[in-house]
Amino acid sequence: QVQLVESGGGLVQTGGSLRLSCAASRTILSIRDMGWYRQTPGKQRELVATITRGGVTNYADFVKGRFTISRDNAKKTVYLQMNSLKPEDTAVYYCNAEVTHTGTYYYTGWGQGTQVTVSS
């Protein structure tokens, strides 16, 4: 079972910044795509940003120019730098990764989520 541990959430004022981290467990042999999603009560989980193992990124339109996704393959960690935060960015942010423990079978795992709250 994949273990992805998020950190870095919290309370910030409008216009502020936060940096989220998500570290994969040592038992994971390799990771393909990694990403961040977010969810608010009563709404479906939505994609925020993804990054391939080679560093190709993809962003939702509502975060382009404000958020930056990056990863450290040696540390098996993905980051989300969030700048110019808005109240509508308030959500639980989830880390997502396509991982393998064996080198052959890949599956998608999720972190437990970290709360980001942006006050107006």
Side-chain angles (χ1 to χ4, degrees):
Q1 185 175 356
V2 66
Q3 289 184 324
L4 299 171
V5 180
E6 297 122 333
S7 61
L11 174 64
V12 66
Q13 291 185 333
T14 297
S17 298
L18 284 173
R19 189 190 193 210
L20 305 183
S21 299
C22 173
S25 65
R26 296 180 180 180
T27 61
I28 292 172
L29 180 64
S30 180
I31 305 174
R32 288 178 177 168
D33 292 355
M34 303 184 82
W36 290 95
Y37 291 71
R38 70 186 189 186
Q39 189 170 22
T40 55
K43 293 188 177 181
Q44 287 189 333
R45 194 171 296 186
E46 61 183 358
L47 181 146
V48 175
T50 61
I51 185 168
T52 68
R53 185 156 49 194
V56 177
T57 59
N58 178 56
Y59 295 94
D61 286 343
F62 54 77
V63 301
K64 283 182 180 177
R66 300 189 298 124
F67 292 9
T68 302
I69 189 171
S70 61
R71 64 189 283 174
D72 184 327
N73 291 329
K75 295 183 178 179
K76 299 176 183 176
T77 301
V78 63
Y79 306 96
L80 185 68
Q81 178 66 43
M82 304 186 294
N83 298 328
S84 302
L85 283 162
K86 306 174 182 179
E88 51 263 44
D89 293 318
T90 296
V92 177
Y93 283 72
Y94 295 91
C95 171
N96 163 284
E98 190 180 8
V99 305
T100 180
H101 295 274
T102 63
T104 55
Y105 172 68
Y106 280 84
Y107 64 98
T108 299
W110 293 89
Q112 81 285 355
T114 185
Q115 177 70 46
V116 171
T117 302
V118 184
S119 63
S120 57

